[in-house]
Amino acid sequence: MRVPLITTDFLDRASFAFGATTATIDEPDQPAKPVDTTTYAEMATRVRAWQAGFDALGIGEGERVAVVSHNSARMLELLHALPGSGRICVPVNFRLRPDEVKFIVEHSGASALFVDPELSLDDVTARHRFTLGEESESLLRFDVEPRPWSAPSEDATATINYTSGTTARPKGVQLTHRNIWLNAVTFAMHTRAWEGDVYMHVLPMFHCNGWGMPFGLAGLGVPQVVLRKVDGTEILRRVRDHGVTLMCGAPAVWNAVLDAAAEWDGEIPGRDRVRIVCAGAPPPSRTIQRVTEELGWEFLQIYGLTETAPLLTFNRAQPGPSGEEKAKKQSRAGAPALGAQLRISDTGEVLARSNVVMEGYWENPESTADAIEDGWFRTGDGGYFDDDGYLTISDRKKDVIITGGENVSSIEVEDCLFSHPAVAEVAVIGVPHEKWGETIKALVVTSAEVTEAELIKHCKERLAGYKAPTSIEFRDSIPRTATGKIQKFKLREPYWAGRDRGVN
């Protein structure tokens, strides 16, 4: 017997086995009226009402619906409602500039667009456009049952997640129901998720569908607390008030919590109870050691990409006394996750085979062919395996910088700087940063007088804020090979000297 693995399985089980259990506790401090705290039975009812509303709008199976929002209960519901009815959800990074969001909405061919009320996206349109909150609530139809998905298929595209890559334009990663289903189950297994957990959405839900946590944890009936904006003190408060046991996030999030803990009055909440999952970039081993010693929280490291749904490796601390050496081992990407096959190419690139690898890039067969070669996905990261089989990411072969958990295309930043009339030559690289993991540095050759502040301002006016350089270094020339190529790894070397790898 072969039954398709589709995302509805998770909420269906939750409403059946955990109908009376709290499902979502929405962010109370938001511009829209929060969704009332719901049980899983009530959440399933609301999801069906969303689907019936899409039926009434005439949005059919296979059509795309874009959602640009901070974390919210409504976004969580749409992650279930859209794929679960054969439609495709397009979660969009709310930190992007309006022109970038417009490109994604148009490139995906979205029939409908949902926008957080705090965002200024007046020029971004679709056939149907709703502001999340009172306006979007009018769409929900509780009086009729939605049309069932005519032919559920695990190979159907469930979401398209746009990611910054080595080009100026983002690429749409097509994740299938099978990708999402298997990632959700293996992620939950590796994090030891169970019915007694309480999860807090610290990680933005647009990041690869919250790394699959909205699905896997629903299947286990886990209450899900929604955090709209990262704040270290607020994270500690909600860990205390809601009994949170599990969270995911980038290194910068846990640095914010450590800073807040230094000012926290009383015992740190969640000691010996909370597990945190870190990805985006491995933090310094000192940060890991501080999390375990100062907060008393268990630190879990993973590695993956949007193109892999995302889980490829998992790293949990091995038994033994804590300390610097133990923390250093935890900063590695980890051992292959269940079902993931990894190897290192002749050029040192990490290659992956797994059921969580994407179907391809939306309407971009050339990039798909470049990324998946002979049945292996090219991660664009350089790495090596230790003697115990654990993967360490040592370099980034793609022109991508990861700062605060966000991917930034160095080529996009270079293009922006080139648009300034005083810039004759530029190379953008990632350099180590204690808080953000990496930060963006531009090496610039000028043809006219210009200041560092002017160039940074130029970028901030044209790019999302997190993509702008934090420093400019003026040079007389930028070294190139005999064929005219810039070797970024050589430009990065002085800034990463004394470290055992060239990424942070």
Side-chain angles (χ1 to χ4, degrees):
M1 182 182 295
R2 181 182 171 91
V3 180
L5 307 174
I6 54 177
T7 60
T8 53
D9 293 342
F10 300 101
L11 189 56
D12 284 350
R13 182 174 192 270
S15 61
F16 182 85
F18 305 100
T21 300
T22 297
T24 56
I25 301 171
D26 201 6
E27 167 63 55
D29 184 17
Q30 58 174 302
K33 182 181 182 297
V35 173
D36 292 336
T37 297
T38 57
T39 64
Y40 271 108
E42 292 166 339
M43 182 180 179
T45 298
R46 284 184 56 84
V47 164
R48 290 195 299 274
W50 278 109
Q51 293 169 339
F54 290 126
D55 290 343
L57 283 179
I59 297 176
E61 297 173 8
E63 292 193 54
R64 280 75 62 204
V65 175
V67 186
V68 195
S69 176
H70 294 76
N71 282 355
S72 68
R74 293 181 178 90
M75 184 170 187
L76 183 63
E77 291 167 353
L78 287 167
L79 282 171
H80 287 277
L82 290 162
S85 56
R87 301 172 175 100
I88 299 172
C89 185
V90 184
V92 183
N93 186 341
F94 60 81
R95 299 188 181 105
L96 296 177
R97 287 176 56 85
D99 60 308
E100 295 172 304
V101 175
K102 185 175 183 179
F103 169 82
I104 291 171
V105 171
E106 292 178 353
H107 185 265
S108 66
S111 302
L113 170 66
F114 291 86
V115 178
D116 186 280
E118 191 176 288
L119 302 175
S120 300
L121 295 172
D122 295 339
D123 294 335
V124 185
T125 59
R127 190 167 80 236
H128 304 284
R129 191 185 192 280
F130 298 89
T131 300
L132 285 166
E134 184 177 348
E135 185 177 59
S136 67
E137 286 292 310
S138 66
L139 175 64
L140 275 66
R141 293 284 304 274
F142 294 95
D143 57 325
V144 294
E145 281 296 307
R147 290 193 298 270
W149 186 1
S150 59
S153 169
E154 63 182 37
D155 297 320
T157 298
T159 64
I160 303 175
N161 303 78
Y162 280 78
T163 180
S164 295
T166 55
T167 60
R169 287 299 191 184
K171 298 191 288 288
V173 175
Q174 291 177 251
L175 295 179
T176 66
H177 284 261
R178 181 179 178 83
N179 293 151
I180 290 173
W181 202 100
L182 291 169
N183 176 77
V185 170
T186 54
F187 214 126
M189 182 195 76
H190 282 296
T191 57
R192 307 191 316 279
W194 70 298
E195 290 87 342
D197 272 323
V198 176
Y199 182 75
M200 181 153 65
H201 285 280
V202 177
L203 176 77
M205 295 178 192
F206 70 77
H207 266 310
C208 203
N209 315 312
W211 294 352
M213 284 297 189
F215 304 103
L217 298 183
L220 294 170
V222 172
Q224 301 182 41
V225 180
V226 176
L227 180 74
R228 180 176 172 84
K229 294 181 179 180
V230 171
D231 178 277
T233 301
E234 188 61 22
I235 289 172
L236 289 171
R237 188 186 71 78
R238 296 193 196 190
V239 168
R240 179 195 65 195
D241 294 351
H242 297 292
V244 172
T245 61
L246 183 60
M247 295 178 282
C248 298
V253 173
W254 313 125
N255 282 326
V257 174
L258 287 168
D259 291 343
E263 307 294 329
W264 185 261
D265 186 20
E267 184 179 351
I268 300 298
R271 184 172 291 276
D272 299 324
R273 181 188 78 213
V274 169
R275 310 185 305 286
I276 65 169
V277 185
C278 186
S285 56
R286 177 60 184 152
T287 299
I288 298 172
Q289 189 175 353
R290 290 184 63 200
V291 166
T292 57
E293 294 177 359
E294 296 177 25
L295 302 179
W297 295 357
E298 183 179 0
F299 184 93
L300 310 170
Q301 178 74 37
I302 71 163
Y303 166 70
L305 305 91
T306 302
E307 288 90 338
T308 62
L311 188 62
L312 285 179
T313 70
F314 189 85
N315 190 352
R316 173 181 289 111
Q318 300 302 307
S322 60
E324 184 178 351
E325 185 60 30
K326 187 173 186 177
K328 188 174 182 180
K329 287 185 176 181
Q330 280 189 272
S331 70
R332 298 176 298 178
L338 181 67
Q341 302 172 34
L342 303 177
R343 69 179 179 88
I344 309 299
S345 74
D346 294 340
T347 61
E349 184 177 7
V350 179
L351 306 180
R353 278 171 56 87
S354 175
N355 284 297
V356 297
V357 173
M358 66 174 180
E359 177 70 18
Y361 293 113
W362 178 256
E363 296 191 343
N364 195 339
E366 296 85 3
S367 293
T368 301
D370 288 341
I372 302 175
E373 209 171 76
D374 298 326
W376 290 86
F377 172 70
R378 300 178 58 187
T379 67
D381 291 323
Y384 59 89
F385 287 104
D386 292 338
D387 292 340
D388 56 3
Y390 274 55
L391 175 68
T392 292
I393 301 299
S394 58
D395 195 9
R396 209 162 279 127
K397 292 182 175 293
K398 290 181 180 177
D399 279 324
V400 174
I401 300 163
I402 300 180
T403 178
E406 296 283 5
N407 284 16
V408 177
S409 166
S410 61
I411 293 175
E412 181 180 8
V413 184
E414 288 166 355
D415 286 346
C416 181
L417 283 164
F418 267 129
S419 69
H420 193 285
V423 174
E425 205 172 355
V426 62
V428 169
I429 59 173
V431 297
H433 190 275
E434 186 66 28
K435 180 178 181 180
W436 303 114
E438 294 177 18
T439 190
I440 302 166
K441 176 180 281 292
L443 311 178
V444 174
V445 178
T446 62
S447 58
E449 192 169 321
V450 66
T451 67
E452 178 183 43
E454 287 171 340
L455 289 180
I456 292 174
K457 181 174 182 286
H458 176 82
C459 290
K460 286 185 174 180
E461 289 172 347
R462 291 161 176 79
L463 300 172
Y466 68 88
K467 297 181 180 181
T470 57
S471 64
I472 306 286
E473 185 176 310
F474 294 103
R475 294 194 169 190
D476 295 331
S477 64
I478 295 175
R480 295 175 181 268
T481 66
T483 58
K485 293 182 179 179
I486 296 174
Q487 293 178 304
K488 293 282 186 76
F489 72 94
K490 286 190 175 181
L491 294 178
R492 291 197 302 262
E493 278 177 357
Y495 305 97
W496 296 88
R499 297 171 181 257
D500 57 0
R501 57 191 174 201
V503 291
N504 203 22

